Structure formats: C-alpha cells, structure tokens
Amino acid sequence: MNHTVGVRQAQKQQSRRALLDAGLHLLADQNLASLGVREVTREAGLSPAAFYRHFPDLAALGVALVEESLASLHVMIRSVLTEAGGAEELIDRAVDVIQRHVREHQPHVRFLSRERHGGVRQVREAIDAELGRFAAEVGSALALQPVSKDWSAQDLRMLAELYVDHMVSTASAFLEAQESDPAREQRIAATARLQLRLISLGRRHWQGS
Amino acid sequence: MNHTVGVRQAQKQQSRRALLDAGLHLLADQNLASLGVREVTREAGLSPAAFYRHFPDLAALGVALVEESLASLHVMIRSVLTEAGGAEELIDRAVDVIQRHVREHQPHVRFLSRERHGGVRQVREAIDAELGRFAAEVGSALALQPVSKDWSAQDLRMLAELYVDHMVSTASAFLEAQESDPAREQRIAATARLQLRLISLGRRHWQGS
DNA sequence: AAGTTCGGCAAACGACTGTTTACTGAATGG
DNA sequence: CCATTCAGTAAACAGTCGTTTGCCGAACTT
C-alpha cells in the first residue's frame, strides 16, 4: 500500500530519511526543544528550505521519530509476551530482550527516554499514549496466564503498568550504563531479574484487592 | 554559617533567587537545553550581563536547581521512612506524602522529571547521583525492619531501587495528572497503593537469591 | 514531444542569541 | 569622610536562527 515506486517518491523518501537520521543523531546529546531546523538540514546535507517540503515543524519530525521508535518497541514486547515457559526462563528472556533492544536501537531508545517528559507537548503525548497501549497489551497477555485466574480487570491493569514502568526504568538504566562501564550492564540486568522475581512472587500470593 | 547578613549580600541573594525562580518558571514548558540567558534575565527583571555575576553557565543554574529540588525531596523521604506502623498504613502514608509533595513542589518536581534524562550532562549526573544516595538511604531503613531479617545486602539494595524507581514513576504520573483530570489523581494513587501492596507481598515470601 | 508537477536551492528578511566591555552608584570598611 | 568593592547597566560584537521568496531542472503525465 505504501510502495509508491516512482523515482520521484523514492528520492523524496531518501531525503526524509536523511532528515530523520540527522535529527536522531543530533538528539543523542540534545533535546528536541533545543534542536534547530538549520542544524538538522546542515547535518542531513540539505538546504534549510528543503526541511519544509517534509515537515511543517520540528515537532512533526519528533512525532515521526516517536512512531518509528515505538514500532520497534512493539515488536520487542510481542516477542517477550508470546514466548511460553516457566516464570524463571520468562524473566531471563525478557531482560535479555530489553538489553539487546537498547543496544541495537540506542538512538531511538534514548530519544524516547529523553522526550517522554521533555518540553514538546505533542511528542510527550504521543509517547504516553503508546505506552498506555503497551500496558493494555501486556494486561491482555497476563490475563491468559493461569496464575491470573482470579484476578480482577483492575488488578491486571495495575500489574501490567508495574511491568511497563519497570521495563522503562530498566531500559533507561541500560542506556546510561551503555556509554560508561560495560560491567555495570550486568549488574543492572541482575538487579532487574531479581526485581521481576520479587514481583512474580507477589503475584503468586495475591488475593485480590 | 551561611548567614552573611550584610545588605550587599542580601540584595545579591535576592537577585540570585529571582534568577532561579525565573528559570524554574520558564522550565515549566521548556527544556534546560533550550533555555536562554537573555530569556531568564528578562523574566527576572535583570540585565543579561547580570546573570554572569551569579552563574558562569546555564548548566550551573540547572545544578543549583537540582540541589534545591532534592533538598525538599530528601525531607519527604525521611518523613516516610521514619514513620512506624503496619505495612498497610505505611503504604497509604507513603502515597499520600508523594502526592502532596508533587502538588506543593510542582515546579521543582517537574524540573527533576524533565532533566533526569535531559540534554545537559552535568544536571543529569547530579540528579542520578542523588537518587542513588536516596536508594542507599532507603536500603538502610529497610534493613531495620523485621521483615528483612534474612535479606542479603544485594537483595536489600535491589528492593530499595525498586521502591525508588516506583516512587519516581508515581511522581511523574501525578505530575501529568495534575494539569488535566483531577479525578485521574485518585486512580493513580489507588494503582500505586496496589503495586506497593504487591511488592510488599513479594517481600514477605522472599527466600533470598 | 510538449506540458505539468514538485523537491531542492540560494538569497534575503528581521529578530534574537551569548558574551564582553566600560561604566555607574550604592554598600562597605578604615 | 574617603577609598574601595562590586552587583547591575547599556551598548556593541559577530553570529545563528526560522521562514519566505522566486527560481531551476529532473521526473512525471498525457
């Protein structure tokens, strides 16, 4: 549906990609709110005016980056949820997947972490809405597990939010460790596994609210 | 010790305060990285050059704001930790204190939440270092509770970090709810209490790692 | 083959930026 | 009372900024 195979379209997509990549690269040590149109186009190798052929705003570029970043996150979450196995193996798999995802999509993850509470309302809201959808998805997956037999919808939702928040915290921690001590990464992974084990223990003894 | 009662000093402190307040006010819907010296001095009612009588950088002003913000946070945490009582009442008290703190120190809390992963390295590191100290403090307090009799130091530390991360997430959620639906605040508080209850349940059945 | 679409460019607009300079005048201290 | 300190000022510096304009030329349509 989105093929648009013309040469024209292909070249336009290429420029758009260059702008997104330039933005993502510059946002490694900068905020979206402090980014400049000229800055982005300079990095992308285009003229300033060219930017407006693709986005009306820098906020629009930010929203586009949110969609990109969350698409890959979505794939990651599904890959954890659909795996079956005992609680222990599931925890190990989940932490591994998070760790690898942060490594392989560092710029996107950093962008999300930085702009989640950043100064651009549109972007903030886009991220939060999508994280809410993630929580709903996690909640549905949890409902299918036998451990959640007698759980109310509200309790399932709060558990899902706890998991999502924990995932976000862990990903942020991995991000900071990434560019400093590589040994710290293992400590973070170990801590995250322990925390998930503790939560899992609480789940098994939960008796409703 | 820090009295410096001269008229001169008092007037200087007043200007410094004006700069800090102006910055805090502007950072309500902006990032520190996108803040300008002229912007701050304009809001504070001073000339641009006056800024440099107080701070070398905007980053320095940011660090000063971090110290302010964390001082009040420190008081809050202690007030939760020193209270005694059953697990249930302790949870209720903790969530109440967080909620009130966010309401009463909204600008400071928003600043912390926004700059924790923001674009200014100095500020990021200042916040993270202090949050680490909070976790250590929480860990020490947890060690004194009878529930933690057989817990290893590592397990206590991971529990403390879980609590601190949860507090940060909850505070951020309160912050967003603040300026939208006031009823949402109660939902967030209820969810936070349930999550703490779940963690508390996991604690009671923990058998070491 | 001729006409149209449209992505990209150079140039120009006024506005705003961080920082330094030399200076003013009130608080300070002998 | 006189000399000194020093927070604050106005002015100027050389830049960068976002955005609009008119134009070009290659890709598309017919």
Side-chain angles (χ1 to χ4, degrees):
Chain A
M1 50 165 65
N2 212 9
H3 268 270
T4 59
V5 277
V7 177
R8 217 46 168 316
Q9 309 276 357
Q11 286 172 344
K12 181 168 185 179
Q13 294 282 340
Q14 204 175 9
S15 293
R16 186 185 145 99
R17 187 99 294 276
L19 288 172
L20 290 170
D21 288 343
L24 210 48
H25 179 244
L26 291 168
L27 288 170
D29 32 31
Q30 204 175 157
N31 274 317
L32 179 60
S34 70
L35 202 62
V37 172
R38 293 186 113 103
E39 211 177 347
V40 175
T41 54
R42 198 182 308 130
E43 174 89 9
L46 297 177
S47 83
F51 176 85
Y52 298 96
R53 302 283 189 202
H54 300 271
F55 306 100
D57 265 338
L58 273 170
L61 181 138
V63 171
L65 286 176
V66 172
E67 287 161 9
E68 271 196 6
S69 308
L70 289 169
S72 64
L73 239 193
H74 219 270
V75 173
M76 182 198 92
I77 292 199
R78 282 198 187 279
S79 89
V80 172
L81 290 181
T82 59
E83 295 238 354
E88 288 297 311
E89 304 124 65
L90 229 148
I91 287 173
D92 291 351
R93 282 285 304 160
V95 174
D96 276 2
V97 166
I98 293 173
Q99 183 168 7
R100 189 172 47 224
H101 189 269
V102 172
R103 260 205 290 261
E104 291 174 1
H105 301 81
Q106 207 189 27
H108 280 119
V109 174
R110 192 195 316 278
F111 168 73
L112 287 177
S113 156
R114 184 157 290 169
E115 300 302 330
R116 174 148 147 73
H117 305 288
V120 182
R121 174 192 300 265
Q122 271 182 285
V123 171
R124 240 171 22 222
E125 288 174 353
I127 295 176
D128 262 37
E130 200 67 24
L131 284 183
R133 254 167 262 141
F134 281 160
E137 187 172 349
V138 171
S140 305
L142 292 177
L144 301 178
Q145 301 181 340
V147 204
S148 320
K149 190 164 57 86
D150 303 323
W151 284 56
S152 73
Q154 191 202 7
D155 289 359
L156 275 175
R157 174 74 190 189
M158 81 81 183
L159 179 62
E161 288 180 10
L162 184 60
Y163 277 137
V164 169
D165 285 349
H166 185 263
M167 182 196 73
V168 170
S169 295
T170 305
S172 295
F174 275 134
L175 208 56
E176 291 160 21
Q178 197 87 346
E179 52 197 359
S180 60
D181 200 346
R184 242 189 103 185
E185 242 185 321
Q186 299 313 316
R187 273 198 48 249
I188 292 168
T191 299
R193 279 191 291 263
L194 289 179
Q195 290 168 339
L196 286 175
R197 218 170 291 170
L198 183 83
I199 292 172
S200 161
L201 213 49
R203 278 179 78 183
R204 278 204 289 279
H205 295 89
W206 188 255
Q207 308 203 24
S209 57
Chain B
M1 48 169 66
N2 211 8
H3 267 270
T4 60
V5 277
V7 177
R8 218 45 169 316
Q9 308 278 356
Q11 287 174 343
K12 181 168 185 179
Q13 294 281 341
Q14 205 175 7
S15 292
R16 186 186 144 98
R17 188 98 291 279
L19 288 171
L20 290 170
D21 288 343
L24 210 48
H25 179 244
L26 290 168
L27 288 170
D29 32 31
Q30 205 174 159
N31 273 318
L32 179 60
S34 72
L35 202 63
V37 173
R38 292 186 115 103
E39 211 177 346
V40 175
T41 54
R42 198 183 309 128
E43 175 89 9
L46 297 177
S47 84
F51 177 85
Y52 298 97
R53 302 283 188 203
H54 300 271
F55 306 99
D57 265 336
L58 272 170
L61 181 139
V63 172
L65 285 176
V66 172
E67 286 160 10
E68 271 196 8
S69 308
L70 289 169
S72 64
L73 239 192
H74 220 269
V75 173
M76 181 198 92
I77 292 200
R78 282 197 187 280
S79 89
V80 172
L81 290 182
T82 59
E83 295 239 354
E88 288 296 311
E89 305 125 62
L90 229 149
I91 288 174
D92 291 352
R93 282 286 303 160
V95 174
D96 276 1
V97 166
I98 293 173
Q99 182 167 7
R100 189 172 48 225
H101 188 268
V102 172
R103 261 204 290 261
E104 292 174 0
H105 302 82
Q106 206 189 28
H108 280 119
V109 174
R110 192 196 314 279
F111 168 73
L112 287 177
S113 156
R114 183 156 291 170
E115 300 302 331
R116 174 148 145 73
H117 303 289
V120 182
R121 173 191 301 266
Q122 270 183 285
V123 171
R124 243 173 16 224
E125 288 174 353
I127 295 176
D128 262 37
E130 200 66 26
L131 284 182
R133 254 166 262 142
F134 281 161
E137 187 172 350
V138 171
S140 305
L142 291 177
L144 301 179
Q145 301 180 341
V147 204
S148 319
K149 188 164 55 86
D150 303 322
W151 284 56
S152 74
Q154 191 201 7
D155 288 359
L156 275 175
R157 173 73 189 189
M158 81 85 183
L159 180 63
E161 288 179 9
L162 183 60
Y163 276 136
V164 170
D165 285 350
H166 184 262
M167 183 196 73
V168 170
S169 294
T170 305
S172 294
F174 275 135
L175 207 56
E176 292 161 21
Q178 197 86 348
E179 53 197 0
S180 59
D181 201 346
R184 241 190 103 183
E185 242 184 320
Q186 299 312 316
R187 274 198 47 249
I188 292 169
T191 299
R193 279 190 291 263
L194 288 179
Q195 290 169 338
L196 287 175
R197 217 170 292 170
L198 183 83
I199 293 172
S200 161
L201 212 50
R203 278 180 79 184
R204 278 204 289 277
H205 295 89
W206 187 256
Q207 310 201 25
S209 56

